Amino acid sequence: MARCTVPAAEEILDKVYPVLDKGFVRLVDYMGSDQRIVQAARVSYGGGTKTLREDAGLIDYLLRNNHTSPFEQVVFTFHTKMPVFVARQWVRHRTARLNEISGRYSVMAQEFYEPALQDIAAQSTDNKQGRKNEPMENQQAQKVLESIQHIHKEAYDQYTSLLEEGTARELARVVLPLSLYTEWYWQIDLHNLFHFLHLRMDAHAQKEIRAYAQVMYELASKVCPLAFKSFEKHIKGGVRFSRNELEALKRLLAGKEHGLTGKDAARFQTKLDEGRQI
Ligand SMILES: Cc1cc2nc3c(=O)[nH]c(=O)nc-3n(C[C@H](O)[C@H](O)[C@H](O)COP(=O)(O)OP(=O)(O)OC[C@H]3O[C@@H](n4cnc5c(N)ncnc54)[C@H](O)[C@@H]3O)c2cc1C
């Protein structure tokens, strides 16, 4: 079977899509497409490609029923540039292969993430891992930004002095903060990309990594639009209910009280509310 090329994907290939203040995402290469998913799936039955409608139906069936291996036949290579604190979250996705710029080999550029004023917010009181939805008052946000910029300058000045004094690059870099930009090539298959996107496009993920996930979602969906349509339908923004919660849902549908109490009730309500926002 011939190599899959998708005209819409060829158009965006290699283009740089800016993310945050200095970062980017670039789709370097892809292997496979919607066609490859159906070819791989139909190998089980010996059938070839059918009509677009039948292919869409098959892809949707596979995703809906967790027949995930045909999705592993599609592979993406991204080149991305992001702050180190974003890379720290990203690297937890162990099913990818990556190659990162070396601070032992290269002098790191003076490039640090400086949040936009509207992204500077106070610590959330109900989510220990996040910030409030509304930004800080402008003057206060400006002060935060100035502190960040001040430490960036200090740190980079120290880094440069250490290098000038002959300190090894691998040691001098320890003075650089988590906001420093790094770059890597990152390769992942579609099944695991869906997992990454499901977790990192979710409202619970940090805003900065969400910005990258959103761009990658848009680029990868050019390669296999049917699979992404099914992802949107069945996975993205989905909520998992426990057995108890499912029973509670059934009671609600029957017009009764859900019957959960305390923290169980609060968690259940949050899931219903999250579901409504989708
Ligand atoms: C909102 C949010 C908050 C988070 N907060 C924290 C935090 O505070 N601290 C923290 O440390 N992490 C945190 N994480 C990271 C999180 O715990 C996971 O490490 C990360 O989301 C990757 O998920 P994963 O392991 O399913 O993905 P992958 O590493 O891509 O793995 C995919 C799947 O493959 C399987 N798998 C892969 N490797 C192994 C293995 N070695 N053994 C068994 N199964 C494997 C698992 O089924 C796994 O689900 C957070 C993630 C999110 C989205």
Side-chain angles (χ1 to χ4, degrees), residues 89 91-96 129 188 192 195 199-200 202 204-206:
Q89 298 176 339
V91 81
R92 300 304 306 277
H93 297 267
R94 296 159 288 176
T95 51
Q129 268 201 333
I188 195 159
N192 286 294
H195 184 61
L199 292 174
R200 300 303 179 177
D202 187 271
H204 296 97
Q206 183 163 344

Side-chain angles (χ1 to χ4, degrees), residues 257-271:
E257 293 290 318
H258 60 62
L260 297 173
T261 54
K263 283 187 176 166
D264 287 343
R267 265 194 295 270
F268 181 63
Q269 193 55 52
T270 305
K271 285 186 185 179

